[in-house]
Amino acid sequence: VDATDVFRAASRHFDVPFRRHARFSVRFEVARADGVVIGQTRDLSEGGMLMSSTHAVSVGESLLVDVVLGDGVDKPLRVRCSVLHVEGQLPAPLLASIQFVRLRGEEHRRLALYLEKLRGERGPA
């Protein structure tokens, strides 16, 4: 059983919103895997991000993106993600809720270490 599914079921049953992961208010460029910058993070967590997007994105869309973390590593964090919610209309920037999909291994470890560093510096958003 996926832990996120359990949290969602409990959230719906008790009508109480939940957050599985702490969110941190950070601004980093987000680019498609082909290098085209599509937006900027508004917040970031171990499970996903809120992104201000200058390109069309739609609910249910799967994206492979590179996030330029401020962790001193030259290589961007590459992650598959799914668009959960979109607010707004182009040409104004869209606000998209993004969930990371299958973030594992070195990429997951790198993100977790970076967020742990942020937690120590300033606490969650």
Side-chain angles (χ1 to χ4, degrees):
V1 175
D2 181 57
T4 302
D5 292 338
V6 173
F7 279 108
R8 282 193 185 124
S11 176
R12 282 191 300 271
H13 179 74
F14 295 109
D15 196 28
V16 177
F18 80 94
R19 285 219 191 283
R20 182 172 175 203
H21 303 288
R23 291 181 177 209
F24 297 88
S25 180
V26 291
R27 301 281 192 271
F28 299 119
E29 280 191 347
V30 177
R32 292 188 317 229
D34 64 3
V36 174
V37 175
I38 61 170
Q40 187 177 70
T41 62
R42 299 279 296 272
D43 70 35
L44 184 65
S45 78
E46 210 172 321
M49 64 184 165
L50 185 63
M51 177 180 75
S52 176
S53 179
T54 54
H55 291 280
V57 292
S58 56
V59 172
E61 184 176 359
S62 177
L63 301 169
L64 182 61
V65 298
D66 291 334
V67 180
V68 180
L69 290 180
D71 63 353
V73 177
D74 289 333
K75 179 183 165 189
L77 180 78
R78 178 159 286 181
V79 61
R80 170 76 53 197
C81 52
S82 177
V83 179
L84 298 179
H85 180 77
V86 178
E87 292 180 17
Q89 269 187 314
L90 292 175
L94 304 173
L95 196 57
S97 296
I98 307 289
Q99 180 179 28
F100 297 146
V101 177
R102 294 184 302 275
L103 181 61
R104 297 185 186 113
E106 180 58 31
E107 298 291 329
H108 179 258
R109 187 184 73 73
R110 181 177 164 204
L111 178 61
L113 286 172
Y114 179 70
L115 294 175
E116 190 59 38
K117 180 182 174 206
L118 288 181
R119 184 183 328 274
E121 290 175 2
R122 59 184 168 192

